[in-house]
Amino acid sequence: MIPSPGFPAHPCDGRVSVGPSWKDAPYPVLVLDPSGAVLDANPPARLLLTDRHGGGGPPDVVPSWLTDAHRSVTDTTGTTPAGPSAAGEIGDRFFEAHPSRLEDGSVMWWLVDGTGRRRAETSLQSVREQARTRALVSSTLLSSLNVPRCAEVAAQLAAEHLADAALVVLPPVGRRYPVTHAVRGGPAVHASRQFDPRAVAGLVEALQGFPPVPTRWIDPGSLPGWVVPKGFDRPVGSVIITPLPGHGVSAGALILLRSSTERAFSPDEEAFARLFAARAGAALSAARLYSEQSAITTTLMRDLLPPTLESLHGVEYAGRYRAASDHERVGGDFYDVHPGADASKETFVVLGDVAGKGLEAAVLTGKIRNTLHALLPLASDHEQVLTLLNGALLSSHHTRFATLVLASVRREGHRVRLRVTSAGHMPPLIIRADGRVEEAATHGTLVGALPSVSVRTAEEVLAPGETCLLYTDGITEARGGPLGDELFGEDRLRQALVECAGMPGDAIVERVQMLAAQWLGRGRHDDMATLAVSAPRTVPTADVVGVGGPHGRNT
C-alpha cells in the first residue's frame, strides 16, 4: 500500500488526523462514529456503497459484517489490531477491513479489495479438492474388477462429489440397459430398464462414445421419469450427460443431476465431470474385460479340472488333486472315471502324469483326456488304447511324454474285479482288509516317447472294505521332512496306507494328501493326484441282483 501524501505509513497509527490527504487514497475509506454511523467517506467508498445494490444503495449505510466489526472494535479498549478485523462482500467484491482509532473515538476503516486473491484461493481449493477426488476415484474404482460393484462405486462417488444424484448407464444387454443410480447420502441401486435413449438429449451420443452435448442444450424439464431416481424429490435444475470412455469402445454413459435450488454446473465442473467419467470408464472397461476373460477361462477350464467322483454301479470312487502352485487350478496330473453303460459293463478309470507342470502341461493333459474319451469304445483292450494314444502324441507338436495307469472296474457280487495296466507309471497299491499293502503286478513303457509301447496288465480282486489306490509321483517325491530335503517316499506311503485299512476311499485319499502336505511344509512340490477304487463293506440289494454274466451270484 502506498500512503497518501501527508498520511502516516501505518493506517493503524492512533495519531492519524482526518484531513484532505486520506480522501485521495486509492482504497475505499470510511470514518464511523462510535455508534457506527458514517461520518465521512472518500470517493471510492461512496461509489462502492452506492453501487453495492446495483446503483441503488444509500451511501451512508455500511454492510452488516462491517457494522459488527466496528462494534467489536469500539467495545474493546486497548490497541487496535494490526491485521484486518473483518472481511466480507460488498456487492460482487470481497474486502478486508483494517481499522484505525481516531482521537475523537471514531474509527477509520480502510477497505482493501481481496476479490482476486479470494478467487485464486477458491480456485486453488477447488483444484485441490478435485485432485483428492480423482485420487479417491482411481483408488476406489480400480480396486474392484466386478462390473456391478464398479458401477455402484462410480454412481456413489459422482453423487457425493459432483452432483446431487448420478446415474451410470451401461451398454444394453439385449433390449435392456443396466442402470445404477445413487442420490447423495444414499445407497446405489441397480436396475435393468427398457427405454429409448433418444428420449434423453445426448444419451445416444454418450453411449456411442461421442463427445458430450453441452449442458445448456439439455432441458431438465424434458427428462423422462426413469432418469430422476427415487429419493430425488426436488425439480432438476441442470444436467450433465457425458460418455464413459473405455478401451476402444464406450463403457457407458454418466448422467449427473443437480436440483434447481443449487447453482448450475459451471464450465470447470463440466470439465471435471469429463475427467471423472474418463477414470470411471477405464475402471468399468477393465472390470468388463476381466469378467469376459474370467468367463472364457472358466469355460475352457471346465474340461481340464478333475471330475467330482462318487459311487458308480456299487463301486466307490474318490479322488483328490493339488496343483504344483497354489494359485493354479490345473497342471500335469489328471484322473478320469468313465462309467459303463450299466452295472454289467466295465467302468474305465485312468490316472496320468504329464511331464512338466502348469498351464502347458495342462494343455497336453486336456489332449490326452480327449483322446482317451474318443477311444472309450476300445477301452476293454488297454494295450490297444495305449498304442493309439502313443501314436497320437508322437504325431503332435508337443514334445512332452506322459505316464498312465488304466483300470477297468466291474462289480461282481460283493467283490470288485479290476484289470490294471501301468504305462511307465508307479503300480497301484492295494490296501487289504487285514492291513496288508500289496503292489499290483503291472508295468509298461511310457507313452509319447517311443515308437511303440509294451505293457503288462494285472488282474486284482477287492473284497469288501478293500481299496486300490492310484497315485502320481507328486506324493512319493514330495520333498520335505525335518531338514526339508528328504523325499516322502514309497515306504512312508505304504506305512500310511497300513493305518488306513478298512477306511472309506475318500478318507484314504484325503489322508494321503494331508500327510504329503505336512511333509512338504511350505516347500515347493509337483502336482499331486490320488484316486481310490473301493469295494464297499455293504452293498445295496439292487446292485447285487443287477449284476449280470457268469459272476452274477454272490461270492
Side-chain angles (χ1 to χ4, degrees), residues 314-325:
V315 181
E316 293 180 352
Y317 299 92
R320 292 292 185 275
Y321 174 75
R322 180 182 179 185
S325 299

Side-chain angles (χ1 to χ4, degrees), residues 17 20 39 60 85 94 99 129 158 199 219 221 224 285 308 381 383 406 409 423 430 456 459-460 468 470 493 502 530:
S17 60
L39 293 178
D60 57 348
S85 292
F94 182 81
E129 181 63 29
D219 178 15
S285 183
T308 301
D381 189 341
E383 185 172 0
L406 307 183
V409 184
I430 299 174
R456 176 184 176 184
E459 292 195 8
E460 301 288 348
C468 177
L470 287 64
L493 176 60
T530 50

Side-chain angles (χ1 to χ4, degrees), residues 346-363:
E346 290 180 327
T347 293
F348 185 61
V349 178
V350 57
L351 178 140
D353 183 0
V354 173
K357 51 191 174 184
L359 185 59
E360 291 187 3
V363 172

